[in-house]
Each structure stands twice: as structure tokens, then as C-alpha cells.
Amino acid sequence: MLMSYFADLPTIQYDGPESRNPLAFRWYDANRNVMGKTMREHLRWAICYWHSFAWAGSDVFGAGTFERPWAPGQPVTPERAQIKLNAAFDFFAKMQAPFFCFHDVDAMADYETIGEYSNNLATIVQAMEGKIAETGVELLWGTANLFGHPRYAAGAATNPEPEIFAWAAHQVRSMLEATHRLKGANYVLWGGREGYDTILNTNLAREMDQLGRFMSMVVEHKHKIGFAGAILIEPKPHEPTKHQYDRDAATVYGFLKRYGLENEVKVNIEANHATLAGNSFEHEIATANALGIMGSIDMNRGDPQNGWDTDQFPNNVPEMTLALYHLLKGGGFTTGGFNFDAKVRRQSMDAEDLFHAHIGGVDVLARSLVNAAAIIEDGTLDHFVAERYAGWNDAFGQNILTGALDLAGTADHAVFSNSNPKAVSGRQEFLENLINNFC
Ligand code: XLS
Ligand code: CA
Ligand code: CA
């Protein structure tokens, strides 16, 4: 048996905020109680197989920089797939991660034919089932990669060629069934190429109907096989395509509503996808809460100077505090969790760098969770917002909302009462100062 790639690195423990040990958690104390739940139960964090084990550290200008025993970026033989599986679960266990996530092709051996795809996936899923039983690390979500293979250049479900739609159906059916078998909590659909590069060659209405039909087929199949987890769409505005149909949470809601899926599908919100869409991360969480489609979170950020998807680990506690605040206000996760769909930098090529990245990310979440809970327990912010809308609880406000008053009746109210309401301060600076006191 080969020595583990991570043999020289320790199992990561909680050491407390005063600790200077870089290979320990300073804030994430898994069993610490915060507002009635442990940190582990609140955060439900996951390590992603894709960026951490299948990516070689390459970029568009240069080759991979990571020398790993499973040779990421090289052809994946069944042996390499097994070495990668062993290493991945060693790492998950050393990090004491509650969950992991994967795409089919992140974990399985390479394939040529559709038959090989099925066989190679089945082999790795069986081995993974053993690893899950051995380590207790659970599957937060499974997904199929419908964007990497050249056949998906013009999309998967939105492809002009129905035979390609059928290939995508085979991958999603296989991975949905694998996720069910591995007792996954969710199934994610990220439409990386479900969009277009140029509208000149695109029948937009045709493509949206194809995507709507595909989503309905996935939901039908979920019920057919008895998968109890949530189906999640991951919004992103663009990259790799110029325009993606699922650009942000509000757009996804409109799409779901149009195809009658709004009670069947939720969203997996990614921090940097929010930024790329011109929204803040907390806006996306608050919108998903308001629309009743909050599902799960991919906890990777962009870089303010770069306009692309850098997938970096979170490092900004004040920003994350606001995200955690909105998550808690929405009741927290049910099936979802925080997935680190994040990459270490290309120059961070050591095994140890994977540890620093995840330790830092989990500590940022833990610290932000404590801050967000303190803001809620303090109550000033919630009280301010409630007071701001208090008029709508009175009889007049309620009569408008319930329909007892129509447009004319509401207008008459203003005329007959000789109404002259004044603007009231929104106290933005006061509230910003308040939040800074907790971060
Ligand atoms: C890419 C996406 C991808 C999805 C899963 O930008 O974030 O990682 O999470 O396919
Ligand atoms: Ca993601
Ligand atoms: Ca991303």
C-alpha cells in the first residue's frame, strides 16, 4: 500500500483563538453551540473533489504546477482514479470535514464510449461507497460535468442537437442515481454552457424550452427513484458562455415559475457568481430566502481586480458576516451546506497549502457565524428594520395588501386625509457602524 500523500500532515483540531498553530482551527469548534445548534450543524461544510483533486494548477498561459501522485491533468487510468480516491478521503478525514462534493468525471477513470462511461462511473461509486462507510464523511451534493467534453461546446440541454441532449440525460440520470445510492443530501445542476456565445446563431426561445424540459425530466426522475434530497440550480451569469440562462437567483426563480418547477428546485448560490452578476453575495441569499428557493452555498469568492471566476477561498470576515446573517435569518440550511468550490492558487503547490486554504475558509465561516448570531441576539438591526415597515401592520397597510382597498380607494385615502407624509431617515451610516461593532 502506498504511503498517503498527506502522511506528514496532522488531523486538524480546534486549538482556540490564541493559538498560533497554522495547522489548527482557531475559530471552528465543531461542537460549540451557537443559537441552539453546533457549529458543525450550522455550517455543514464540504470539500470539493474538482478543484482540490482533479485540477492540476494549470491556467490558460501555463501547465499544471501540482505534482500529486494521482497526476491531475494526465489521462485518468482506473489505478489513478483509485489513488485519487484514497488521497481525497485521507484529506477529508484529516480535515474532519463533514461533507464532500463531486462531479462524475472528477472521480472516475476516463472513458471513450457511453458503455465505458457507465462502467467506470459504477466502479468508482462502489469504491466511494466503501470510503464513505469507512470515514463517515457524507456527500453534500453530486453533479455531472456537462461542460468539459467537446460535445458540449454548444451546451448540453440547450444544444441544437437532441442526441447531445440525450448524452446529457444519461450523465445526469447516472449521477442522480449515484448521488441517491451514496445518500447525498442534494443534486446540483450548473448550466455552464446552457447559454450562448452569440445570439446570431441562437434560437433563445427554443433553448429555454429545452432547458425547462430537461429540468422537469430531472425532477420526475428524482421522484421516480425516491431521491429525497433537493435539486439545486447554481446561478452564474457567464463564463464559459457569454450569456447563461440562469444568471442569478431572481432569474432562476422566473425560469422555474415559467416551467412550474418553483416548488421542486432551489438554488446553490456561489459567492463569486453573485459578484460576476453584479450582485452582492448577501443580496443573492436574501433574494433566495424571499422567493423560498434557498438551498445551498458554494463558498468561493472572486478577486476585486479580476473580472473572471478565480474561485478563491473566503478570507473576508465582515463580508461573510452579512452573508451568515441573512442565512440565519432565513432559518439556516436544511439539506444545504457550505461547499468550498475553491482552488488554491497556482503557486500554492504543496500538500500543506490545501490544509491552510480549508482551515482558513472554515475559520472565516465560524467567526462570521458567531458575529451574525451576536447581531441577531443584540436585536438592534432587526428591531430597526421591523420599525421601518411598522405602518404596513396597521389596518390601512393591511387593507392595501389584502386587496380590501384598490388603486382608487387607496388614492382616495390620501386625498380625504389630506395626507402629507414626510421622508424618514434610513440611518444607513448608523447601521453600518452598528455592524462594524460586531466584526
Ligand atoms: C463553475 C461552477 C461549478 C459548479 C458545479 O463555475 O461553480 O463548480 O459548482 O458544476
Ligand atoms: Ca460552484
Ligand atoms: Ca465558480
Side-chain angles (χ1 to χ4, degrees), residues 234 236 270 273 300 309 311 341:
E234 183 175 321
K236 186 174 182 181
E270 183 175 304
H273 296 178
N300 35 304
D309 196 5
D311 286 329
D341 198 19

Side-chain angles (χ1 to χ4, degrees), residues 92-224:
F92 304 159
K94 286 207 160 178
M95 284 300 308
Q96 305 208 52
F99 292 97
F100 76 105
C101 296
F102 79 109
H103 296 85
D104 45 3
V105 300
D106 299 344
M108 63 188 277
D110 292 344
Y111 61 92
E112 290 289 335
T113 63
I114 202 157
E116 272 172 18
Y117 171 87
S118 304
N119 289 339
N120 293 356
L121 181 64
T123 304
I124 208 72
V125 166
Q126 190 176 349
M128 205 176 253
E129 199 171 25
K131 287 286 179 189
I132 289 174
E134 190 185 312
T135 59
V137 182
E138 294 175 69
L139 179 60
L140 183 65
W141 50 257
T143 188
N145 179 326
L146 304 182
F147 45 90
H149 195 281
R151 83 167 52 87
Y152 295 124
T158 58
N159 202 288
E161 170 54 69
E163 294 294 337
I164 294 179
F165 182 107
W167 236 102
H170 179 62
Q171 277 187 255
V172 171
R173 174 204 179 166
S174 305
M175 269 308 288
L176 186 56
E177 291 177 1
T179 302
H180 183 39
R181 173 170 167 187
L182 298 174
K183 302 190 173 53
N186 305 276
Y187 187 83
V188 163
L189 292 145
W190 171 57
R193 295 193 193 271
E194 308 298 23
Y196 57 80
D197 295 325
T198 172
I199 202 156
L200 289 175
N201 64 13
T202 303
N203 182 338
L204 202 139
R206 158 84 278 127
E207 292 199 1
M208 300 245 291
D209 281 352
Q210 288 173 213
L211 191 55
R213 177 66 191 127
F214 193 78
M215 296 299 172
S216 302
M217 288 162 96
V218 174
V219 167
E220 282 160 21
H221 198 68
K222 161 195 153 150
H223 291 302
K224 193 163 146 196

Side-chain angles (χ1 to χ4, degrees), residues 328-390:
L328 291 180
K329 289 295 290 176
F333 290 127
T334 50
T335 60
F338 281 111
N339 171 39
F340 292 102
D341 198 19
K343 297 181 176 99
V344 289
R345 299 301 84 194
R346 189 165 176 263
Q347 294 181 60
S348 303
M349 61 278 282
D350 295 344
E352 183 176 325
D353 292 311
L354 278 173
F355 281 77
H356 294 309
H358 287 89
I359 291 168
V362 174
D363 268 347
V364 167
L365 287 184
R367 214 169 160 178
S368 306
L369 171 69
V370 171
N371 291 348
I375 293 170
I376 291 173
E377 276 159 4
D378 168 77
T380 310
L381 182 64
D382 288 347
H383 180 72
F384 180 87
V385 176
E387 280 299 301
R388 194 159 178 251
Y389 295 90

